[in-house]
Amino acid sequence: MLDNSAPVRPVAYDMLIDGRWVGAASGRRMDSLDPFAGAAWASVPDAGSEDVGTAVAAARKAFDLGPWGRSTARERAALLRRLAELIARDADRLAAIESRDNGKLVREMTAQWRYMPEWFFYFAGAAERIEGSTLQSDRPNFTAFTRKEPVGVVAAITPWNSPGLLLAWKLAPALAAGCTFVVKPSEHTPVSAIEIGRLVEEAGFPAGVYNVITGGPEAGRALVADPRVDKIAFTGSTDVGKAIAKSAADNLTGVLLELGGKSPNIVFDDCDPAAAANGIISGIFAASGQTCMAGSRLVIQRSIMEDVVGRVIARAQTIKLGDPSLPETEMGPVATPQQHAKVTGMIRAAVAEGARVACGGADGGPGGLFVPPTILVDVTPQMTIAREEVFGPVLSVIPFDTEEEAIAIANDTEFGLAAGIWSLNLQRAHRVANKVRAGTVWLNAYRVVAYNAPFGGFKQSGSGRENGVGAVDEYLETKTIWIELSGATRDPFTIG
Ligand code: NAD
């Protein structure tokens, strides 16, 4: 018989460096917490700068000397397709693991992992279509063409909210381009990057092409400061993104930054109110609000506010909080004790600034790491709760009267990741979409992403784009090659 009172030993994982499974050079390890159980469920090495150096050296060697650096697009595409098939085979198992690591619903993680192979299939195709161009030279007696070459060693740093998917967004185009890769996942959710390492091995990628370092900010800082890294791909908070950009500037390393948001859901009185209410719920309470694209500001026309906000409150009050592994659960806990303290602290601060709790609240949860769906009314655009990212299930309701006012409130933010617009008036919906400064705008929808749709932020929500064919260019350099045609001696003191 199983003894349920016996302490459960966390599952021990190692890091993948240069095709070998290793611990940290220091021997240090750290635990990963199951936020629902409130206990450690996995243990991973706690890497320091020495381990980071070893991993970057391995990626450098695999790129400069290994077979990967000389691989053809066809070979890379075949391996990417194989990896896609392996992720599809293991999607449900990996989704269950991810849910344990970050507390998000198994049903959401399952949908993510089942969709994830498409990134690898799509970028396999993109690998086969990388091409330079022949230039119609403006210089007599010259012809010129461009080649696209992999940028080199990519350092990826990912957050805890959708660790596997956000890794796939970087890994698939980087491998398609022919780069080698070192990933440092969040210290809160290190396991999926390791599990992908097992599949990368099984698919047959050469040693050193994909390396995983597990550790916290110290390992992250060492990774982005390493001059042997050619490109940094980061998803996380805006503050850390700025620190990374400053560090990268010392080596002029290229950076792709996917950062935070304070996205508006803009609701006009000519919307379908039931659809809008459903979209607002999805935007802020799915994933317990722990998504970069959370629609955390409800910017709503005063004439329809009572109706739509009433519908949102009614639905929010029926949301089932509970065990993320159960299919009927609609919201799990937030991912970490620190996150719980931050979210509840921001709700209390908002109330102190004059907001009113219409639903939920800092103390309204069932205990543990749960924060109930919280709706704050009487919020003004100047309040902290309307300006700073909460990264939790907290909706701020801000009314407007005119279209111009709605656009001004929507754009009154340092962020620019996403926006939803709810109006059945085609002209208005398009007009407002063109004026909102955000990387993604959904009309009469919210929270839709796909492998072929560019995703990224305006303003302090980041720089560069993931997904879409252009994502491969983030990992490519363009080289121009000139060919002299005449054989004549040229004036050495003029250009061209
Ligand atoms: P975070 O910025 O705290 O940490 C992200 C990663 O950076 C972790 O792996 C962490 O260990 C590492 N890190 C921390 N300090 C570092 C440093 N100085 N140098 C190098 N690495 C360092 O973010 P988080 O709390 O894990 O994730 C939540 C944030 O991510 C939110 O702000 C959210 O909006 C953002 N996010 C953005 C997107 C997007 O696509 N724009 C997607 C998901 C999440």
Side-chain angles (χ1 to χ4, degrees):
M1 250 182 60
L2 276 174
D3 176 5
N4 288 334
S5 64
V8 180
R9 277 175 72 86
V11 184
Y13 286 91
D14 277 337
M15 306 186 285
L16 179 61
I17 299 179
D18 208 7
R20 287 178 302 120
W21 293 96
V22 296
S26 66
R28 281 198 324 243
R29 298 190 67 82
M30 59 184 196
D31 286 336
S32 184
L33 182 79
D34 173 338
F36 178 67
W41 81 276
S43 126
V44 296
D46 184 4
S49 55
E50 189 182 335
D51 307 293
V52 170
T54 311
V56 175
R60 195 71 263 166
K61 185 179 74 176
F63 183 76
D64 293 333
L65 307 173
W68 190 250
R70 298 186 301 276
S71 62
T72 64
R74 189 76 190 83
E75 290 163 345
R76 293 198 300 278
L79 284 170
L80 282 165
R81 292 192 177 103
R82 178 75 189 122
L83 181 56
E85 285 160 3
L86 295 175
I87 293 173
R89 181 195 70 189
D90 289 358
D92 290 2
R93 182 180 70 81
L94 295 169
I97 284 176
E98 194 97 293
S99 168
R100 267 196 107 174
D101 228 6
N102 70 1
K104 282 170 96 171
L105 302 186
V106 159
R107 81 192 212 212
E108 179 177 5
M109 292 296 101
T110 302
Q112 270 190 15
W113 281 89
R114 286 186 184 173
Y115 193 32
M116 210 182 297
E118 300 303 330
W119 267 263
F120 294 90
F121 284 125
Y122 178 77
F123 284 104
E128 291 167 329
R129 285 173 187 76
I130 294 170
E131 43 189 39
S133 54
T134 307
L135 307 176
Q136 301 293 105
S137 175
D138 187 45
R139 298 289 180 184
N141 301 322
F142 277 92
T143 192
F145 63 95
T146 63
R147 278 170 53 79
K148 298 280 183 176
E149 297 184 1
V151 70
V153 173
V154 174
I157 297 187
T158 50
W160 46 261
N161 64 325
S162 292
L165 187 68
L166 296 169
L167 169 55
W169 288 16
K170 296 160 183 55
L171 182 61
L175 293 180
C179 295
T180 58
F181 204 86
V182 180
V183 56
K184 192 210 78 65
S186 166
E187 57 275 29
H188 303 297
T189 52
V191 176
S192 54
I194 295 172
E195 289 281 352
I196 286 183
R198 291 180 173 170
L199 300 184
V200 164
E201 264 197 328
E202 188 182 341
F205 284 83
V209 171
Y210 176 85
N211 306 274
V212 187
I213 284 286
T214 52
E218 180 197 336
R221 277 191 288 273
L223 184 55
V224 298
D226 195 311
R228 295 167 295 177
V229 168
D230 298 297
K231 178 89 186 194
I232 297 163
F234 172 75
T235 300
S237 62
T238 293
D239 284 350
V240 173
K242 286 179 185 175
I244 287 175
K246 284 178 189 155
S247 165
D250 284 341
N251 300 314
L252 288 179
T253 311
V255 285
L256 169 63
L257 299 172
E258 297 288 1
L259 309 176
K262 193 74 201 175
S263 301
N265 242 322
I266 311 165
V267 181
F268 290 96
D269 61 7
D270 50 14
C271 72
D272 170 347
N278 197 49
I280 293 159
I281 291 279
S282 160
I284 190 63
F285 298 135
S288 302
Q290 301 172 119
T291 76
C292 53
M293 62 188 93
S296 51
R297 290 184 297 149
L298 173 55
V299 180
I300 184 160
Q301 198 148 18
R302 209 178 300 273
S303 46
I304 202 175
M305 185 161 77
E306 198 180 322
D307 178 11
V308 172
V309 174
R311 290 170 193 253
V312 175
I313 291 173
R315 179 68 181 92
Q317 283 168 338
T318 68
I319 289 176
K320 291 188 196 66
L321 274 62
D323 182 344
S325 69
L326 298 178
E328 64 271 21
T329 303
E330 293 175 320
M331 263 178 60
V334 297
T336 63
Q338 301 91 303
Q339 193 58 21
H340 186 269
K342 179 188 162 199
V343 176
T344 51
M346 287 187 78
I347 297 171
R348 289 194 184 97
V351 172
E353 276 189 62
R356 190 165 52 81
V357 175
C359 171
D363 303 307
L369 295 184
F370 285 93
V371 178
T374 296
I375 299 173
L376 298 172
V377 294
D378 297 344
V379 175
T380 65
Q382 290 72 37
M383 287 182 186
T384 312
I385 198 73
R387 309 200 74 80
E388 292 185 5
E389 186 181 46
V390 180
F391 222 61
V394 182
L395 180 68
S396 296
V397 181
I398 307 169
F400 70 85
D401 292 302
T402 65
E403 187 178 305
E404 291 66 33
E405 204 188 339
I407 294 163
I409 295 171
N411 286 337
D412 182 14
T413 167
E414 65 190 26
F415 298 108
L417 193 61
I421 296 168
W422 299 86
S423 167
L424 297 179
N425 176 332
L426 189 69
Q427 291 163 315
R428 164 178 277 165
H430 280 279
R431 206 163 51 225
V432 177
N434 290 350
K435 288 186 180 156
V436 170
R437 305 259 305 143
T440 296
V441 177
W442 296 285
L443 303 185
N444 299 310
Y446 206 84
R447 215 165 168 255
V448 188
V449 293
Y451 49 85
N452 63 347
F455 186 84
F458 282 33
K459 302 196 272 183
Q460 294 197 26
S461 287
S463 62
R465 291 290 178 272
E466 300 197 294
N467 308 337
V469 275
V472 182
D473 290 326
E474 298 280 354
Y475 302 99
L476 290 170
E477 292 279 18
T478 301
K479 179 181 283 178
T480 305
I481 298 182
W482 289 91
I483 306 159
E484 210 281 341
L485 301 177
S486 73
T489 304
R490 310 189 60 76
D491 176 354
F493 303 106
T494 62
I495 281 188

